[in-house]
């Protein structure tokens, strides 16, 4: 245990303190060094856990991508990660760096918010690989998908036992030029259709998570470093639970998350830092950052669930300084259920879908009884058909079973008919259909092998009839 000198820094014991962290006094240089050591310990610990899961230990260190929004947390994460990588590389082959290369991934949100052009690129610097995606790219054709998913009918009548969403595939390269819209127009139409700022923030988080994961895979990175601080994680725990994401909560706030099993691991090495620590670190270490606007920037606390929970957690932590660490340590003990790890990914957010979410909603929902005139139609089966504007039959799919509870709530309060979801939603639905068809074919072939000894060959039957 370190001995304390009254009125002096707990580390050097000679300088006057400048900040108090958990009842410990630090001067500026010692605080910066302590923060660097704590970050490197967290990063090395996550690297060891990732190495333990690898089967081939002879492979080189993985490549990592830092998710950079330009805010204080992600900017500090980038600078600390790059400094650690540079210092380990200078030591030679005796000490291996946690990652072979560090890249930067950024999602351009200028389609929805007013941001300074080139500000994030200047924070990253010119000596690091910079990969960027735009929000509207989710409505552009890719090699994986050239179609969108349009919800053409929804059974969300008050008092209904379940919600039903019927959707169809819409080709991006349609022949009707009047119906074609630019990706940015489709993005604005999508967010304008959502009923509240909470729903807009939920969908924006899902889109950014998908784009960052796609950037990491395209760049050959197997690790995605996120700059979530302890304060942010504590706020997310409350907000995600309030929005009905408890089924996937252990995966969304975990220190390391490799779900779904697609070769990409999300790591949060800043989860031991509270927001105030990061603010002091950026100021004294000279780490630049920018203001990242959101849908509730400058709005009162009740503007959205995320904004309200953030104000609640920050206010509580101001009076009770152990609030944020206690919440994070408690949730860190949660383990994802086996059903969650084996579940199908949600079409919108990509998190596991709880098979019993519809029944759970019907048991807990309190709403007005439906009037006889407003009774909803029976829920259609998969593969039902409808007609488009030209009278041609189109195939409709009921996607309610492929949506998690939180995303069902987001679409439930949609205020526009014909809501068009991003292309990755259609891609996930198509991948699941192909997977189901492949599984059915494999099951059919296995069943045939079991009974093939009892089958009568048609050639043998013809020869018996000839005799």
């Amino acid at each position: 245990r370190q001995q304390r000198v009254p009125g002096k820094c707990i580390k050097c014991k000679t300088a006057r303190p400048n900040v108090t962290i958990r009842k410990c006094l630090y001067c500026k240089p010692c605080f910066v060094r302590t923060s660097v050591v704590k970050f490197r310990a967290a990063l090395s610990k996550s690297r060891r856990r990732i190495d333990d899961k690898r089967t081939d230990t002879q492979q080189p260190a993985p490549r990592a991508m830092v998710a950079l929004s330009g805010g204080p947390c992600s900017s500090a994460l980038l600078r600390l990660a790059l400094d650690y990588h540079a210092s380990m590389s200078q030591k030679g082959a005796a000490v291996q760096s946690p990652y072979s290369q560090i890249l930067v991934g950024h999602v351009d949100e200028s389609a929805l918010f007013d941001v300074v052009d080139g500000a994030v690129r200047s924070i990253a610097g010119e000596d690091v690989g910079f990969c960027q995606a735009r929000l509207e790219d989710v409505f552009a054709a890719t090699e994986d998908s050239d179609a969108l998913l349009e919800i053409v009918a929804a059974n969300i009548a008050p008092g209904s036992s379940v919600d039903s969403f019927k959707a169809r595939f819409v080709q991006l390269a349609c022949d009707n030029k009047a119906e074609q819209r630019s990706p940015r127009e489709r993005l604005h139409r999508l967010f304008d259709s959502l009923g509240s700022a909470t729903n807009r923030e939920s969908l924006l988080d899902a889109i950014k998570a998908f784009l960052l994961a796609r950037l990491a895979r395209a760049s050959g990175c197997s690790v995605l470093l996120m700059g979530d601080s302890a304060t942010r994680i504590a706020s997310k725990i409350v907000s995600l639970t309030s929005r009905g994401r408890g089924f996937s909560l252990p995966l969304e706030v975990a220190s390391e998350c490799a779900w779904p099993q697609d070769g990409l691991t999300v790591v949060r090495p800043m989860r031991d830092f509270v927001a105030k620590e990061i603010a002091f670190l950026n100021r004294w270490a000279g780490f630049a950052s920018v203001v990242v606007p959101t849908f509730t920037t400058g709005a009162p606390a009740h503007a959205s669930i995320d904004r309200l929970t953030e104000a609640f957690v920050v206010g509580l932590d101001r009076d009770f300084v152990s609030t944020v660490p206690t919440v994070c340590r408690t949730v860190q003990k949660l383990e994802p259920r086996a059903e969650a790890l084996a579940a199908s990914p949600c079409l919108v957010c990509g998190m596991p879908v709880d098979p019993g979410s519809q029944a759970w909603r019907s048991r807990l929902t309190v709403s007005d009884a439906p009037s006889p005139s407003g009774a909803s139609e029976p829920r259609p089966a998969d593969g039902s058909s409808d007609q488009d504007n030209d009278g041609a039959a189109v195939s409709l799919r009921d996607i309610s079973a492929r949506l998690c509870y939180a995303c069902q709530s987001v679409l439930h309060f949609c205020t526009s008919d014909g809501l068009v979801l991003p292309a990755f939603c259609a891609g996930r639905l198509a991948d699941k259909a192909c997977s189901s068809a492949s599984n059915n074919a494999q099951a059919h072939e296995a069943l045939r092998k079991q009974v093939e000894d009892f089958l009568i060959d048609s050639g043998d039957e013809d020869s018996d009839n000839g005799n």
Side-chain angles (χ1 to χ4, degrees):
R1 186 180 180 89
Q2 293 180 340
Q3 290 222 323
R4 308 192 179 194
V5 178
K8 298 298 180 179
C9 172
I10 192 174
K11 287 292 185 180
C12 64
K13 300 178 179 59
T14 57
R16 293 176 58 87
N18 299 100
V19 64
T20 303
I21 302 295
R22 301 180 185 91
K23 298 182 179 181
C24 296
L25 304 178
Y26 292 93
C27 64
K28 292 181 182 180
C30 291
F31 171 75
V32 173
R33 284 195 296 267
T34 301
S35 300
V36 170
V37 170
K38 184 166 64 171
F39 171 81
R40 294 183 177 184
L43 203 62
S44 300
K45 188 185 300 182
S46 65
R47 165 66 195 280
R48 286 195 297 269
R49 283 195 285 261
I50 294 174
D51 287 343
D52 293 341
K53 298 177 183 178
R54 290 196 303 169
T55 57
D56 188 2
T57 58
Q58 301 300 324
Q59 291 182 352
R63 303 175 73 185
M65 174 171 285
V66 175
L68 179 64
S69 65
C73 296
S74 63
S75 300
L77 169 63
L78 176 62
R79 295 269 68 90
L80 290 173
L82 289 177
D83 292 344
Y84 186 28
H85 179 72
S87 64
M88 297 295 284
S89 300
Q90 293 175 357
K91 295 181 179 180
V95 181
Q96 187 180 16
S97 175
Y99 306 111
S100 60
Q101 186 181 6
I102 294 180
L103 305 177
V104 175
H106 172 64
V107 177
D108 182 10
E109 304 178 41
S110 59
L112 295 179
F113 310 109
D114 293 331
V115 296
V116 179
D117 187 24
V120 177
R121 185 68 182 92
S122 62
I123 293 176
E126 299 296 334
D127 56 344
V128 61
F130 188 81
C131 305
Q132 179 173 281
R134 298 174 299 177
L135 286 177
E136 57 267 31
D137 290 345
V138 295
F139 286 101
T142 62
E143 297 179 358
D144 300 331
S145 177
D146 60 349
L148 303 175
L149 197 63
E150 179 184 10
I151 299 179
V152 297
N155 175 19
I156 54 176
S160 60
S161 58
V162 294
D163 283 353
S164 176
F165 300 95
K166 292 192 295 183
R168 65 176 180 178
F169 288 105
V170 178
Q171 297 296 325
L172 284 169
C174 59
D175 296 331
N176 190 353
K177 299 297 182 180
E179 295 183 358
Q180 287 188 354
R181 294 184 176 91
S182 66
R184 178 167 290 205
E185 291 174 344
R186 292 186 183 275
L187 183 71
H188 280 281
R189 181 182 176 89
L190 173 63
F191 281 95
D192 291 341
S193 301
L194 301 179
S196 64
T198 298
N199 294 339
R200 296 189 187 99
E201 288 176 339
S202 299
L203 187 58
L204 180 61
D205 291 341
I207 292 177
K208 290 196 295 185
F210 167 78
L211 289 175
L212 287 172
R214 189 171 70 176
L215 280 177
R217 296 189 193 96
S219 304
C221 299
S222 58
V223 177
L224 179 62
L225 301 178
M226 304 290 289
D228 294 334
S229 65
T231 306
R232 174 59 180 159
I233 291 176
S235 301
K236 285 179 64 176
I237 290 168
V238 181
S239 64
L240 292 177
T241 305
S242 303
R243 291 180 350 220
R245 306 198 71 93
F247 189 70
S248 59
L249 180 64
L251 298 173
E252 298 194 57
V253 298
S255 300
E256 292 96 19
C257 177
W259 195 94
Q261 301 295 334
D262 53 2
L264 182 65
T265 301
V266 177
V267 180
R268 298 177 174 88
M270 303 293 290
R271 63 174 297 130
D272 293 332
F273 294 82
V274 298
K276 188 172 290 186
E277 286 183 85
I278 297 176
F280 280 114
L281 176 63
N282 288 348
R283 179 180 179 183
W284 291 339
F287 298 158
S289 63
V290 296
V291 177
V292 182
T294 64
F295 289 108
T296 57
T297 299
H302 61 271
S304 69
I305 290 180
D306 285 352
R307 182 72 180 85
L308 182 61
T309 54
E310 180 185 9
F312 169 72
V313 171
V314 171
L316 195 61
D317 190 66
R318 186 183 302 114
D319 299 328
F320 305 94
V321 294
S322 61
T323 299
V324 168
T326 301
V327 173
C328 292
R329 284 197 302 266
T330 303
V331 175
Q332 196 170 8
K333 300 177 183 178
L334 294 178
E335 294 290 339
R337 297 168 55 186
E339 295 86 347
L341 297 178
S344 301
C346 175
L347 297 181
V348 178
C349 66
M351 287 290 111
V353 176
D354 186 0
S357 60
Q358 290 276 16
W360 185 79
R361 175 197 287 272
S362 64
R363 289 196 305 267
L364 298 182
T365 300
V366 178
S367 60
D368 297 331
S371 60
S373 59
S376 58
E377 298 180 356
R379 184 177 177 179
D382 287 346
S384 60
S385 62
D386 201 350
Q387 291 183 347
D388 58 11
N389 297 332
D390 298 331
V394 294
S395 177
L396 300 183
R397 296 173 178 266
D398 187 358
I399 63 172
S400 56
R402 295 298 317 281
L403 298 172
C404 66
Y405 173 83
C407 292
Q408 288 179 23
S409 300
V410 171
L411 299 181
H412 183 100
F413 295 101
C414 177
T415 59
S416 175
D417 296 331
L419 179 69
V420 178
L421 298 177
F424 63 81
C425 299
R428 287 169 177 166
L429 183 60
D431 291 342
K432 180 62 177 179
C434 295
S435 177
S436 299
S438 176
N439 292 337
N440 292 337
Q442 292 176 3
H444 183 272
E445 184 64 24
L447 180 61
R448 180 178 178 83
K449 290 182 179 180
Q450 292 178 7
V451 300
E452 62 182 356
D453 294 337
F454 304 96
L455 298 177
I456 300 176
D457 187 62
S458 58
D460 295 340
E461 185 178 358
D462 294 341
S463 61
D464 292 342
N465 293 335
N467 294 334

